[in-house]
Amino acid sequence: MVSDLDTYLFDLRGYIVIKGALSQGEVGELNAALDEMPSLQPGQWHGRVHAHSYGTNDGLNLQQIYEGGEPFEKLIDHPSWIEHIKFFVGGEGTFDYHHGPLFIDECFAHFRQPGEAIGLHSGGFPPINRNQFRYHGGRFMCGQVNALIALTDIGDGDGGTMVIPGSHKSNFAHPHLDQHRMKQGGASVDGTEGAIHVPMDAGDALVFVDGISHGSSKRTNDGERRVIIYRYGPSWGNFRHGYSPSPELLARLTPERRKIVQPLEQIPLEPGKK
């Protein structure tokens, strides 16, 4: 399911691009669903979807986007990338699969307007368990692997994702990190030595280990960049921002998707009972 070339490039660079991961029909369905949502400001809710920003002039996130309807639920285990995610997160046949094959600790739609960008973050140094890159015992063991799906074409000037290939294995911080890192007031990865822009067509998926140094260029074109990001890790993980899936979502998911959204069944506790 995962080619030798994908395996080699993911190990070498920390990312791969899956061209045409979504059909144009799927892209249109997702964009239409986003268009139907009301305009939100950070902190506001639309049902169980929460508007959020990091406060660094990075754009708007719609967190818990799998609560937004069936088009987003299909992305949970989309066949174009789910086997890649399982392979790179690893853990099959171990305790990492005790509750299920994966866990999504964050999923959101992101909108980037002119003048917005996100600064450089992550990287191999300092080492962090949550987003570590590791190959050990003949298998990948990555703490978090992301699928970033383009819903618009993303080229020069569109505020696209930038990465530093190979930085997931770095033993040192980038010497210019302080200049380009995420911070209040905003920053971008533009001009960072070693960083490249990853062009994408609508429907492409960028699969990358979260330990790679990444961020974005600043959007200078008119219009809007739209992407959806699902972050996957081992089944024993926890939610990054404290969200939880709604009972309604869990009830309508397939068993396979439910095992990824909420791998660990909660034990109901009643006062006075053991």
Side-chain angles (χ1 to χ4, degrees), residues 188-201:
S188 77
V189 188
D190 294 304
T192 303
E193 184 72 24
I196 64 168
H197 173 251
V198 182
M200 302 178 71
D201 298 322

mmCIF file with all atom_site columns, all heavy atoms in Angstrom, residues 188-201:
data_model
loop_
_atom_site.group_PDB
_atom_site.id
_atom_site.type_symbol
_atom_site.label_atom_id
_atom_site.label_alt_id
_atom_site.label_comp_id
_atom_site.label_asym_id
_atom_site.label_entity_id
_atom_site.label_seq_id
_atom_site.pdbx_PDB_ins_code
_atom_site.Cartn_x
_atom_site.Cartn_y
_atom_site.Cartn_z
_atom_site.occupancy
_atom_site.B_iso_or_equiv
_atom_site.pdbx_formal_charge
_atom_site.auth_seq_id
_atom_site.auth_comp_id
_atom_site.auth_asym_id
_atom_site.auth_atom_id
_atom_site.pdbx_PDB_model_num
ATOM 1  N N   . SER A 1 188 ? 6.779  34.744 9.143  1.00 0.00 ? 188 SER A N   1
ATOM 2  C CA  . SER A 1 188 ? 6.642  33.766 8.082  1.00 0.00 ? 188 SER A CA  1
ATOM 3  C C   . SER A 1 188 ? 7.973  33.040 7.914  1.00 0.00 ? 188 SER A C   1
ATOM 4  O O   . SER A 1 188 ? 8.992  33.428 8.501  1.00 0.00 ? 188 SER A O   1
ATOM 5  C CB  . SER A 1 188 ? 6.231  34.428 6.764  1.00 0.00 ? 188 SER A CB  1
ATOM 6  O OG  . SER A 1 188 ? 7.333  35.071 6.153  1.00 0.00 ? 188 SER A OG  1
ATOM 7  N N   . VAL A 1 189 ? 7.969  32.015 7.102  1.00 0.00 ? 189 VAL A N   1
ATOM 8  C CA  . VAL A 1 189 ? 9.180  31.240 6.843  1.00 0.00 ? 189 VAL A CA  1
ATOM 9  C C   . VAL A 1 189 ? 9.926  31.797 5.633  1.00 0.00 ? 189 VAL A C   1
ATOM 10 O O   . VAL A 1 189 ? 11.009 31.345 5.301  1.00 0.00 ? 189 VAL A O   1
ATOM 11 C CB  . VAL A 1 189 ? 8.838  29.750 6.654  1.00 0.00 ? 189 VAL A CB  1
ATOM 12 C CG1 . VAL A 1 189 ? 10.083 28.880 6.584  1.00 0.00 ? 189 VAL A CG1 1
ATOM 13 C CG2 . VAL A 1 189 ? 7.951  29.256 7.802  1.00 0.00 ? 189 VAL A CG2 1
ATOM 14 N N   . ASP A 1 190 ? 9.364  32.797 4.977  1.00 0.00 ? 190 ASP A N   1
ATOM 15 C CA  . ASP A 1 190 ? 10.013 33.400 3.811  1.00 0.00 ? 190 ASP A CA  1
ATOM 16 C C   . ASP A 1 190 ? 11.445 33.804 4.137  1.00 0.00 ? 190 ASP A C   1
ATOM 17 O O   . ASP A 1 190 ? 11.704 34.454 5.159  1.00 0.00 ? 190 ASP A O   1
ATOM 18 C CB  . ASP A 1 190 ? 9.234  34.647 3.353  1.00 0.00 ? 190 ASP A CB  1
ATOM 19 C CG  . ASP A 1 190 ? 7.854  34.306 2.842  1.00 0.00 ? 190 ASP A CG  1
ATOM 20 O OD1 . ASP A 1 190 ? 7.750  33.491 1.913  1.00 0.00 ? 190 ASP A OD1 1
ATOM 21 O OD2 . ASP A 1 190 ? 6.870  34.866 3.379  1.00 0.00 ? 190 ASP A OD2 1
ATOM 22 N N   . GLY A 1 191 ? 12.372 33.420 3.277  1.00 0.00 ? 191 GLY A N   1
ATOM 23 C CA  . GLY A 1 191 ? 13.767 33.808 3.445  1.00 0.00 ? 191 GLY A CA  1
ATOM 24 C C   . GLY A 1 191 ? 14.567 32.943 4.388  1.00 0.00 ? 191 GLY A C   1
ATOM 25 O O   . GLY A 1 191 ? 15.753 33.206 4.601  1.00 0.00 ? 191 GLY A O   1
ATOM 26 N N   . THR A 1 192 ? 13.952 31.896 4.966  1.00 0.00 ? 192 THR A N   1
ATOM 27 C CA  . THR A 1 192 ? 14.679 31.009 5.872  1.00 0.00 ? 192 THR A CA  1
ATOM 28 C C   . THR A 1 192 ? 15.584 30.081 5.074  1.00 0.00 ? 192 THR A C   1
ATOM 29 O O   . THR A 1 192 ? 15.122 29.370 4.178  1.00 0.00 ? 192 THR A O   1
ATOM 30 C CB  . THR A 1 192 ? 13.694 30.168 6.709  1.00 0.00 ? 192 THR A CB  1
ATOM 31 O OG1 . THR A 1 192 ? 12.808 31.043 7.424  1.00 0.00 ? 192 THR A OG1 1
ATOM 32 C CG2 . THR A 1 192 ? 14.441 29.295 7.701  1.00 0.00 ? 192 THR A CG2 1
ATOM 33 N N   . GLU A 1 193 ? 16.857 30.081 5.398  1.00 0.00 ? 193 GLU A N   1
ATOM 34 C CA  . GLU A 1 193 ? 17.823 29.233 4.697  1.00 0.00 ? 193 GLU A CA  1
ATOM 35 C C   . GLU A 1 193 ? 17.432 27.767 4.846  1.00 0.00 ? 193 GLU A C   1
ATOM 36 O O   . GLU A 1 193 ? 17.170 27.274 5.952  1.00 0.00 ? 193 GLU A O   1
ATOM 37 C CB  . GLU A 1 193 ? 19.221 29.446 5.263  1.00 0.00 ? 193 GLU A CB  1
ATOM 38 C CG  . GLU A 1 193 ? 20.318 28.686 4.546  1.00 0.00 ? 193 GLU A CG  1
ATOM 39 C CD  . GLU A 1 193 ? 20.641 29.247 3.179  1.00 0.00 ? 193 GLU A CD  1
ATOM 40 O OE1 . GLU A 1 193 ? 20.369 30.452 2.950  1.00 0.00 ? 193 GLU A OE1 1
ATOM 41 O OE2 . GLU A 1 193 ? 21.177 28.481 2.351  1.00 0.00 ? 193 GLU A OE2 1
ATOM 42 N N   . GLY A 1 194 ? 17.367 27.056 3.720  1.00 0.00 ? 194 GLY A N   1
ATOM 43 C CA  . GLY A 1 194 ? 17.045 25.636 3.728  1.00 0.00 ? 194 GLY A CA  1
ATOM 44 C C   . GLY A 1 194 ? 15.575 25.322 3.575  1.00 0.00 ? 194 GLY A C   1
ATOM 45 O O   . GLY A 1 194 ? 15.215 24.163 3.336  1.00 0.00 ? 194 GLY A O   1
ATOM 46 N N   . ALA A 1 195 ? 14.689 26.315 3.709  1.00 0.00 ? 195 ALA A N   1
ATOM 47 C CA  . ALA A 1 195 ? 13.253 26.074 3.616  1.00 0.00 ? 195 ALA A CA  1
ATOM 48 C C   . ALA A 1 195 ? 12.789 26.134 2.165  1.00 0.00 ? 195 ALA A C   1
ATOM 49 O O   . ALA A 1 195 ? 13.306 26.905 1.357  1.00 0.00 ? 195 ALA A O   1
ATOM 50 C CB  . ALA A 1 195 ? 12.487 27.098 4.449  1.00 0.00 ? 195 ALA A CB  1
ATOM 51 N N   . ILE A 1 196 ? 11.818 25.311 1.841  1.00 0.00 ? 196 ILE A N   1
ATOM 52 C CA  . ILE A 1 196 ? 11.235 25.303 0.503  1.00 0.00 ? 196 ILE A CA  1
ATOM 53 C C   . ILE A 1 196 ? 9.727  25.418 0.600  1.00 0.00 ? 196 ILE A C   1
ATOM 54 O O   . ILE A 1 196 ? 9.112  25.042 1.601  1.00 0.00 ? 196 ILE A O   1
ATOM 55 C CB  . ILE A 1 196 ? 11.601 24.023 -0.279 1.00 0.00 ? 196 ILE A CB  1
ATOM 56 C CG1 . ILE A 1 196 ? 11.016 22.780 0.403  1.00 0.00 ? 196 ILE A CG1 1
ATOM 57 C CG2 . ILE A 1 196 ? 13.119 23.892 -0.434 1.00 0.00 ? 196 ILE A CG2 1
ATOM 58 C CD1 . ILE A 1 196 ? 11.078 21.522 -0.442 1.00 0.00 ? 196 ILE A CD1 1
ATOM 59 N N   . HIS A 1 197 ? 9.127  25.949 -0.448 1.00 0.00 ? 197 HIS A N   1
ATOM 60 C CA  . HIS A 1 197 ? 7.674  26.026 -0.553 1.00 0.00 ? 197 HIS A CA  1
ATOM 61 C C   . HIS A 1 197 ? 7.167  24.757 -1.220 1.00 0.00 ? 197 HIS A C   1
ATOM 62 O O   . HIS A 1 197 ? 7.769  24.257 -2.166 1.00 0.00 ? 197 HIS A O   1
ATOM 63 C CB  . HIS A 1 197 ? 7.274  27.255 -1.376 1.00 0.00 ? 197 HIS A CB  1
ATOM 64 C CG  . HIS A 1 197 ? 5.812  27.337 -1.680 1.00 0.00 ? 197 HIS A CG  1
ATOM 65 N ND1 . HIS A 1 197 ? 5.284  27.137 -2.933 1.00 0.00 ? 197 HIS A ND1 1
ATOM 66 C CD2 . HIS A 1 197 ? 4.763  27.583 -0.868 1.00 0.00 ? 197 HIS A CD2 1
ATOM 67 C CE1 . HIS A 1 197 ? 3.978  27.267 -2.900 1.00 0.00 ? 197 HIS A CE1 1
ATOM 68 N NE2 . HIS A 1 197 ? 3.631  27.532 -1.658 1.00 0.00 ? 197 HIS A NE2 1
ATOM 69 N N   . VAL A 1 198 ? 6.055  24.210 -0.707 1.00 0.00 ? 198 VAL A N   1
ATOM 70 C CA  . VAL A 1 198 ? 5.461  22.992 -1.268 1.00 0.00 ? 198 VAL A CA  1
ATOM 71 C C   . VAL A 1 198 ? 4.225  23.393 -2.076 1.00 0.00 ? 198 VAL A C   1
ATOM 72 O O   . VAL A 1 198 ? 3.170  23.649 -1.496 1.00 0.00 ? 198 VAL A O   1
ATOM 73 C CB  . VAL A 1 198 ? 5.082  21.985 -0.170 1.00 0.00 ? 198 VAL A CB  1
ATOM 74 C CG1 . VAL A 1 198 ? 4.523  20.708 -0.800 1.00 0.00 ? 198 VAL A CG1 1
ATOM 75 C CG2 . VAL A 1 198 ? 6.278  21.659 0.720  1.00 0.00 ? 198 VAL A CG2 1
ATOM 76 N N   . PRO A 1 199 ? 4.344  23.476 -3.410 1.00 0.00 ? 199 PRO A N   1
ATOM 77 C CA  . PRO A 1 199 ? 3.167  23.819 -4.215 1.00 0.00 ? 199 PRO A CA  1
ATOM 78 C C   . PRO A 1 199 ? 2.178  22.663 -4.230 1.00 0.00 ? 199 PRO A C   1
ATOM 79 O O   . PRO A 1 199 ? 2.564  21.489 -4.208 1.00 0.00 ? 199 PRO A O   1
ATOM 80 C CB  . PRO A 1 199 ? 3.756  24.073 -5.606 1.00 0.00 ? 199 PRO A CB  1
ATOM 81 C CG  . PRO A 1 199 ? 5.009  23.254 -5.639 1.00 0.00 ? 199 PRO A CG  1
ATOM 82 C CD  . PRO A 1 199 ? 5.536  23.248 -4.236 1.00 0.00 ? 199 PRO A CD  1
ATOM 83 N N   . MET A 1 200 ? 0.895  22.978 -4.266 1.00 0.00 ? 200 MET A N   1
ATOM 84 C CA  . MET A 1 200 ? -0.139 21.943 -4.256 1.00 0.00 ? 200 MET A CA  1
ATOM 85 C C   . MET A 1 200 ? -1.292 22.377 -5.154 1.00 0.00 ? 200 MET A C   1
ATOM 86 O O   . MET A 1 200 ? -1.613 23.562 -5.257 1.00 0.00 ? 200 MET A O   1
ATOM 87 C CB  . MET A 1 200 ? -0.663 21.718 -2.830 1.00 0.00 ? 200 MET A CB  1
ATOM 88 C CG  . MET A 1 200 ? 0.392  21.321 -1.813 1.00 0.00 ? 200 MET A CG  1
ATOM 89 S SD  . MET A 1 200 ? -0.264 21.131 -0.129 1.00 0.00 ? 200 MET A SD  1
ATOM 90 C CE  . MET A 1 200 ? -1.213 19.621 -0.300 1.00 0.00 ? 200 MET A CE  1
ATOM 91 N N   . ASP A 1 201 ? -1.904 21.394 -5.790 1.00 0.00 ? 201 ASP A N   1
ATOM 92 C CA  . ASP A 1 201 ? -3.159 21.603 -6.493 1.00 0.00 ? 201 ASP A CA  1
ATOM 93 C C   . ASP A 1 201 ? -4.303 21.203 -5.569 1.00 0.00 ? 201 ASP A C   1
ATOM 94 O O   . ASP A 1 201 ? -4.131 20.370 -4.671 1.00 0.00 ? 201 ASP A O   1
ATOM 95 C CB  . ASP A 1 201 ? -3.212 20.757 -7.767 1.00 0.00 ? 201 ASP A CB  1
ATOM 96 C CG  . ASP A 1 201 ? -2.132 21.123 -8.768 1.00 0.00 ? 201 ASP A CG  1
ATOM 97 O OD1 . ASP A 1 201 ? -1.834 22.329 -8.901 1.00 0.00 ? 201 ASP A OD1 1
ATOM 98 O OD2 . ASP A 1 201 ? -1.581 20.200 -9.406 1.00 0.00 ? 201 ASP A OD2 1
#
